[in-house]
Amino acid sequence: MNAPDPAGAAPLADERERIAEACRTLQREKLVVGTAGNVSVRVGDLVAISPSGLDYTTMRADDVGVHRLDGSPVAAPLKPSSEFPLHLAVYADRPDVAAIVHTHGVASTALSTVVDEVPASHYYTAMFGGPLRVAPYARFGSDALARSAVAALADRTGALLGNHGALTLGPSIEKALELVAYLEYVCDLHLRALATGLPVRTLPAEEIAAVAEALGGYGQSRGGDGGGA
């Protein structure tokens, strides 16, 4: 900790600013309580991650630390999030991932206390690669939690942490943050369906795979060709 940048200037300045803004967004959307949750971005061999226990409303870009993939600091004025070991474990296992968002949303956390997996009760499940697994409970910041999170995230872009919260992954911080809203929607919908006491209809794996393919070309932007569905 408290290590200066060898080049004399803080690296990943843009990523640090985006992390601070993402943390404020999570708080504004009530996806975290207090200083809970965390956000990180990987660029090459460096990881920028939100600091531990800092009020998001006062967080600045230069509060966000930068570390190497082995955990050693490059420019870290404050202690990193207690879930730093989890972030490092995911990055080590998933070279396709460039950003991780950890939330304590009410719907996802509530559902993590009653199920071992969130089935495909809505086609948005396809956005995560299939049913959302729930990692067994382990204490925050522990190696056990890091290991169980990596297992739950295998071939997925989202997972729940038992009696704890949720994780989303993406090729960018914007994509990982976007997935948070969809994950909460899927979890809230499933909770409400369970509350009826009626059997919850789920979609077969082949339909989820087909939806995932269709969603890959969905959307459009002004001034260019857009896919659609």
Side-chain angles (χ1 to χ4, degrees):
M1 197 170 71
N2 300 320
D5 174 30
L12 307 187
D14 181 56
E15 287 77 11
R16 294 165 99 177
E17 180 60 52
R18 287 152 70 197
I19 286 171
E21 178 56 35
C23 288
R24 290 189 288 270
T25 297
L26 294 179
Q27 185 180 61
R28 188 166 57 248
E29 298 297 324
K30 302 187 185 306
L31 291 164
V32 296
V33 176
T35 62
N38 34 76
V39 180
S40 73
V41 174
R42 175 176 62 182
V43 179
D45 294 330
L46 298 179
V47 175
I49 187 167
S50 53
S52 177
L54 188 66
D55 186 344
Y56 291 157
T57 62
T58 64
M59 185 185 297
R60 302 174 307 189
D62 57 8
D63 294 321
V64 177
V66 178
H67 300 255
R68 301 177 184 88
L69 285 172
D70 64 4
S72 60
V74 173
L78 299 171
K79 183 179 179 181
S81 167
S82 60
E83 299 298 3
F84 192 32
L86 185 157
H87 288 246
L88 292 178
V90 173
Y91 286 133
D93 185 67
R94 296 283 297 273
D96 59 309
V97 172
I100 301 170
V101 176
H102 170 42
T103 61
H104 287 192
V106 174
S108 55
T109 305
L111 200 51
S112 81
T113 70
V114 295
V115 300
D116 295 321
E117 181 180 84
V118 184
S121 49
H122 192 280
Y123 69 84
Y124 282 168
T125 304
M127 294 182 173
F128 304 97
L132 291 159
R133 305 184 187 103
V134 181
Y137 173 79
R139 188 176 300 171
F140 69 90
S142 66
D143 289 338
L145 179 60
R147 290 193 298 270
S148 64
V150 167
L153 286 164
D155 301 316
R156 297 288 189 271
T157 55
L160 306 190
L161 304 177
N163 304 80
H164 184 154
L167 294 165
T168 58
L169 316 177
S172 69
I173 190 171
E174 290 79 14
K175 184 60 178 177
L177 198 59
E178 176 187 320
L179 284 175
V180 171
Y182 287 102
L183 184 145
E184 283 299 312
Y185 177 85
V186 167
C187 289
D188 189 23
L189 181 147
H190 195 69
L191 275 174
R192 295 178 188 225
L194 289 175
T196 68
L198 300 171
V200 179
R201 291 193 295 270
T202 59
L203 301 171
E206 56 269 25
E207 176 60 15
I208 293 301
V211 170
E213 184 175 357
L215 288 174
Y218 185 74
Q220 59 183 325
S221 59
R222 293 185 180 89
D225 293 334

